[in-house]
Amino acid sequence: MKNILAPSILAADFKELGQAIKTIEENGAEYLHYDVMDGIFVPSISFGMPVLASIRSCTKQVMDVHLMITEPIRYIKEFKEAGADLITIHLEACEDVAATIKAIREAGLKVGLSIKPATEAEAIRPYLDQIDMILVMSVEPGFGGQKFIPESLDKIRALRAMVEEAGVDVDIEVDGGVNAANVRDVLDAGANVIVAGSAVFKNDAAANTREFLKIFDEYSAK
Ligand code: DX5
Ligand code: ZN
């Protein structure tokens, strides 16, 4: 299984956003994690379609769009047009999860399904054959820079077992409080797409990106 780094630009310096993206791309990050917040599903508000459309032209990275918004089905078309490759929705934010997944699929995009820390792994099971990725929130969604919730590791393990048992090809992404010191535990538990905001963009983003990728390399060589 391939391990992928998805730096979250929520932690970048927005006045230098183009440069920040260039740095992570040049240093090998395959995904760009784009956190959209609506002030309703989560307390904060981040950015939306116009910023995505603007940065789409400056990178070839996979645009990994994490919609922390209520009823995301309303905006699938807009985020596709703005440049999303993969759209992750929250199970808790949708009245009709299956219809929302279908809307993303019909737009020709990959589908991620996310659960908050309080939502059981089992909630994912009914959708396993309809999605490309599970996103396990390892902090309460809404803000970067929080501390990793250790119980998330059990949830990742349970979901990896569920994916294997079902024999489906589904990535497991982990988001929140991941850094170079705890990422091995996250990989051990069975995650393979790693979101990191502060741990990439605080201080030296180039060195931080390379450090994560070095850990991934060492890890796959084991
Ligand atoms: C939180 C966001 C995360 C956040 C991660 O709601 O979904 O993607 O940017 O930031 P760190 O890695 O700083 O916890
Ligand atoms: Zn996120």
Side-chain angles (χ1 to χ4, degrees):
M1 195 171 38
K2 191 168 177 226
N3 295 322
I4 292 168
L5 182 64
S8 164
I9 57 160
L10 193 61
D13 176 355
F14 297 152
K15 71 182 182 305
E16 308 287 350
L17 193 51
Q19 185 53 50
I21 293 168
K22 203 165 167 230
T23 301
I24 55 167
E25 183 171 35
E26 281 175 0
N27 284 280
E30 284 183 53
Y31 282 18
L32 189 158
H33 187 81
Y34 189 84
D35 286 306
V36 181
M37 304 180 183
D38 67 351
I40 298 174
F41 181 67
V42 291
S44 192
I45 297 178
S46 56
F47 33 61
M49 290 82 77
V51 174
L52 181 60
S54 167
I55 62 176
R56 177 68 282 186
S57 62
C58 76
T59 177
K60 292 195 168 58
Q61 289 169 298
V62 172
M63 281 292 176
D64 169 25
V65 175
H66 178 193
L67 296 183
M68 286 167 275
I69 69 175
T70 300
E71 293 304 342
I73 196 164
R74 298 173 296 150
Y75 289 104
I76 304 306
K77 193 165 160 272
E78 280 84 348
F79 278 102
K80 182 205 159 83
E81 280 165 8
D85 295 304
L86 191 171
I87 292 185
T88 296
I89 50 153
H90 269 267
L91 188 138
E92 306 89 351
C94 306
E95 172 118 13
D96 188 338
V97 176
T100 313
I101 291 173
K102 195 160 165 262
I104 303 173
R105 190 68 69 231
E106 283 174 1
L109 305 178
K110 287 197 166 188
V111 185
L113 184 57
S114 183
I115 50 175
K116 297 204 278 186
T119 305
E120 297 290 329
E122 275 304 314
I124 295 280
R125 196 187 289 277
Y127 308 104
L128 262 190
D129 59 348
Q130 301 155 45
I131 58 179
D132 301 290
M133 188 172 84
I134 299 163
L135 194 177
V136 176
M137 284 307 305
S138 42
V139 298
E140 280 303 328
F143 301 96
Q146 304 180 74
K147 202 173 164 301
F148 184 85
I149 299 171
E151 289 76 20
S152 314
L153 294 175
D154 285 336
K155 194 186 272 184
I156 300 165
R157 275 189 279 272
L159 285 164
R160 178 51 71 194
M162 202 187 285
V163 163
E164 273 171 16
E165 194 190 313
V168 288
D169 184 14
V170 173
D171 288 323
I172 299 183
E173 181 175 53
V174 177
D175 185 5
V178 181
N179 53 48
N182 64 15
V183 68
R184 289 176 186 83
D185 296 338
V186 173
L187 296 169
D188 269 335
N192 69 304
V193 183
I194 305 297
V195 178
S198 330
V200 166
F201 287 106
K202 294 295 167 235
N203 306 316
D204 186 340
N208 293 336
T209 301
R210 286 198 301 271
E211 185 178 11
F212 271 104
L213 296 178
K214 188 164 163 266
I215 295 171
F216 290 179
D217 280 350
E218 286 163 9
Y219 195 87
S220 12
K222 268 207 306 189

